[in-house]
Structure formats: structure tokens, C-alpha cells
């Protein structure tokens, strides 16, 4: 772990500078308080902001960012929030949020930004399609890129510091969703470092289920330590390298490194579900065991679950 921290301290500043150059972008659009009647205007304002961000990136000479953001301005896209500054932030909706009976919010892990957003989005699309096949149109999925994710090779990925900063943002976002739709069954699905974020935000969240997938640990020793009334689930694919991460915490040069108890272990106390044989990025892969079980959790059909 010490070796990883040292390597990260050397590599991270170089990789971060390469991944997130100072690309000019507009300030986020001013959005009125989200309600069912203001959703369409919010979507339109964020698409317009994405179009302007694309023009600014192109003028700056960054064709990759310009192309990535240009696609987000398409009339078919629905963003509750959008900010193209730096690595970028966004919250994209799939489905009719105001009328949905079941809503799933996805929280990503490391190395997720506007430049890599499509892979995160693909998982949200796959889950929404799976839910739609089971119960029809009254479901919604939200891809929430609402924080600055750590680099996989960086000191940040070994501590809870970024999660502490992200947790209030996630709590506020869930509160906004409840103003739009106060009746839906709401599930929070967190992946990798996103499970650390979800764990920090869990206390007091108005959600039915908290799902931890591919988790390095949460920063607490047990599910009870999350102080949530939600049911806590955990799953890990058979080929997920996260299983080899030391599930411990230690003080190193005045910094707490590591996240403690493995969430799929009996000691943690979560409800463990079968996640198949997939790798770290395969949990929302179409046709996978994990996707099927995640859809069951979102729909509350847990009597049909297959367990790990």
C-alpha cells in the first residue's frame, strides 16, 4: 500500500495534467428549482450550455473534448446538471423522472470525467433498458457524475478525502430528486470509489436501497456503521481485481489510508448478491448476472435474487 501511495504521488500530477488541461468552458446554466414543471426547461438550458462548451473547446483546439461535449447537446439528451469546466460534472436522466415508480441513481468510481463519460453512460443505458423490459416505461435511471473522481493511480484513490467533499453534493442531489418525485422507490447504486462516496452520504438519505459494487471498502467497519435505514447490498464479480486490494485502514504520515472491512465479507453485514464472473467494469454489462440482480434490487423484486 505504501508503494502504491508513493507511485501515485509521482504519477498523479502528470496524469491529471494530461487528462484535464485548462479547457475554457462557460459557467453552468442558471437553473430554477427543479420540479416536475421545470424539468424540460432545465434540460434545454443544459443542452444549450453543452453546445457552447463544445464551441469553446473547439476554438481552444481540443477536438476530443469538443466532440464529447457536442454529443451532450443533442436534443435527445436530458441533463439535470451540466458543467464542462475542468474534468466536468453532469447528471443525465434516462426515462421520465417525474412519473417513474422506480428510480436508480448511479455513482461512478475513479477516472470518470466528461472525457470518459460514455462508458459510464453505457451502464446507465443498459440498466434502464433492462428495467424497461421487466416493468415497462415507469422507471428512470440517473448517471450522476457529481464529483471530481480520483485517478486510479493517485494518492486520492486511497483516502476518503474526495468522498468527504462529494457526500454533501450527493445528499443535496437526492433531495432535489425528491422534490421532483417524492413517491418513487429510489435506489443508490455505487461503483468502486463511488461506494466510498455513497457510504459517506448514506446517513439520512431518503432511499430504499444502497448497493455497493466492486467496492474497495467504505471507510466504516460494518453496514450498521453507515447509519442508514436503507437495505445495504454488496456484490463483487469473480474476476474483479478489487478483491486483491487490502481491506484495511492504516495511518500513514498523518493520513488514513485504506477503507476497512470488505463489504462482501460476513463481517460487514451487507446482503450479498451474485455478481457473476465479470471484471471490475462489467457490473452493468448487458446479459450479465450482476445486471439482472441489480435490476431486481431497483424494482424491489428481491425474492427472485440470486445470492453470492
Amino acid at each position: 500500500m505504501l508503494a502504491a501511495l508513493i507511485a501515485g504521488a509521482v504519477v498523479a500530477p502528470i496524469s491529471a495534467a494530461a487528462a484535464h488541461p485548462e479547457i475554457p468552458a462557460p459557467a453552468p446554466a442558471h437553473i430554477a428549482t427543479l420540479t416536475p414543471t421545470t424539468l424540460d426547461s432545465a434540460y434545454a438550458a443544459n443542452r444549450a450550455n453543452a453546445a457552447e462548451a463544445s464551441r469553446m473547446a473547439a476554438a481552444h483546439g481540443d477536438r476530443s473534448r469538443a466532440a464529447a461535449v457536442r454529443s451532450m447537446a443533442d436534443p435527445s439528451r436530458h441533463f439535470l446538471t451540466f458543467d464542462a469546466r475542468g474534468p466536468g460534472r453532469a447528471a443525465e436522466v434516462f426515462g421520465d423522472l417525474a412519473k417513474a415508480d422506480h428510480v436508480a441513481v448511479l455513482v461512478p468510481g475513479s477516472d470518470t470525467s466528461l472525457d470518459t463519460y460514455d462508458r459510464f453512460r453505457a451502464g446507465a443505458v443498459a440498466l434502464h433498458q433492462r428495467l424497461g423490459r421487466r416493468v415497462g416505461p415507469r422507471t428512470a435511471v440517473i448517471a450522476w457524475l457529481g464529483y471530481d473522481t480520483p485517478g486510479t493511480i493517485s494518492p486520492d484513490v486511497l483516502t476518503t478525502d474526495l468522498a468527504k467533499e462529494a457526500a454533501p453534493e450527493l445528499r443535496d442531489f437526492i433531495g432535489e430528486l425528491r422534490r421532483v418525485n417524492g413517491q418513487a422507490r429510489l435506489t443508490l447504486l455505487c461503483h468502486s470509489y463511488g461506494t466510498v462516496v455513497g457510504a459517506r452520504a448514506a446517513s439520512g438519505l431518503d432511499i430504499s436501497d444502497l448497493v455497493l459494487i466492486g467496492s474497495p471498502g467504505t471507510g466504516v467497519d460494518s453496514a450498521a456503521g453507515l447509519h442508514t435505514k436503507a437495505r445495504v447490498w454488496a456484490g463483487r464479480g469473480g474476476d474483479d481485481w478489487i478483491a486483491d486490494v487490502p481491506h484495511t485502514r492504516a495511518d500513514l504520515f498523518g493520513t488514513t489510508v485504506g477503507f476497512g472491512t470488505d463489504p462482501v465479507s460476513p463481517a460487514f453485514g451487507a446482503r450479498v448478491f451474485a455478481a457473476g464472473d465479470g471484471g471490475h467494469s462489467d457490473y452493468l454489462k448487458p446479459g450479465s448476472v450482476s445486471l439482472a440482480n441489480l435490476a431486481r434490487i431497483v424494482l424491489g423484486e428481491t425474492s427472485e435474487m440470486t445470492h453470492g
Side-chain angles (χ1 to χ4, degrees), residues 54-120:
S54 178
R55 287 191 290 269
M56 292 175 71
H60 185 67
D62 194 312
R63 295 181 180 179
S64 177
R65 172 61 70 88
V69 177
R70 186 182 307 115
S71 68
M72 298 175 181
D74 187 275
S76 65
R77 307 289 288 270
H78 299 137
F79 288 93
L80 291 173
T81 62
F82 182 82
D83 184 353
R85 296 173 300 180
R89 299 188 182 189
E92 186 170 10
V93 179
F94 305 88
D96 190 335
L97 177 59
K99 296 180 180 179
D101 295 324
H102 305 273
V103 176
V105 178
L106 305 184
V107 180
S110 59
D111 289 324
T112 308
S113 67
L114 291 187
D115 302 300
T116 62
Y117 178 79
D118 280 352
R119 67 187 184 190
F120 178 44

Side-chain angles (χ1 to χ4, degrees), residues 33-301:
T33 300
L34 288 175
T35 68
T37 58
T38 63
L39 279 178
D40 286 343
S41 62
Y43 295 156
N46 284 318
R47 285 194 297 266
N49 191 271
E52 178 60 19
S54 178
R55 287 191 290 269
M56 292 175 71
H60 185 67
D62 194 312
R63 295 181 180 179
S64 177
R65 172 61 70 88
V69 177
R70 186 182 307 115
S71 68
M72 298 175 181
D74 187 275
S76 65
R77 307 289 288 270
H78 299 137
F79 288 93
L80 291 173
T81 62
F82 182 82
D83 184 353
R85 296 173 300 180
R89 299 188 182 189
E92 186 170 10
V93 179
F94 305 88
D96 190 335
L97 177 59
K99 296 180 180 179
D101 295 324
H102 305 273
V103 176
V105 178
L106 305 184
V107 180
S110 59
D111 289 324
T112 308
S113 67
L114 291 187
D115 302 300
T116 62
Y117 178 79
D118 280 352
R119 67 187 184 190
F120 178 44
R121 182 179 190 270
V125 170
L127 178 60
H128 186 241
Q129 291 175 343
R130 176 81 188 198
L131 295 171
R133 286 197 296 270
R134 291 185 67 86
V135 299
R138 296 184 72 88
T139 61
V141 175
I142 301 171
W144 183 77
L145 175 56
Y147 76 110
D148 292 338
T149 67
T152 298
I153 303 176
S154 74
D156 289 332
V157 83
L158 298 174
T159 76
T160 61
D161 291 350
L162 289 180
K164 290 177 184 177
E165 296 175 7
E169 303 286 345
L170 181 55
R171 290 193 193 101
D172 289 347
F173 182 73
I174 296 299
E176 289 179 344
L177 293 186
R178 283 307 188 192
R179 287 194 291 272
V180 175
N181 185 333
Q183 304 302 315
R185 177 187 181 87
L186 202 159
T187 301
L188 190 62
L189 297 132
C190 307
H191 176 243
S192 194
Y193 190 86
T195 66
V196 188
V197 177
R200 296 289 304 191
S203 179
L205 281 187
D206 184 11
I207 58 175
S208 60
D209 296 85
L210 172 64
V211 187
L212 312 172
I213 51 178
S215 177
T218 61
V220 300
D221 293 328
S222 68
L226 297 172
H227 303 293
T228 177
K229 295 180 180 179
R231 293 183 300 180
V232 180
W233 301 85
R236 185 168 65 220
D239 197 33
D240 189 341
W241 57 263
I242 207 77
D244 298 323
V245 171
H247 291 95
T248 186
R249 284 198 305 274
D251 288 330
L252 191 64
F253 307 129
T255 299
T256 301
V257 176
F259 305 108
T261 310
D262 185 349
V264 300
S265 70
F268 189 78
R271 302 168 186 239
V272 179
F273 65 92
D277 297 326
H280 192 61
S281 301
D282 296 334
Y283 291 96
L284 295 171
K285 186 177 180 178
S288 65
V289 171
S290 57
L291 179 61
N293 276 333
L294 290 171
R296 291 176 179 125
I297 293 172
V298 173
L299 297 175
E301 298 175 351

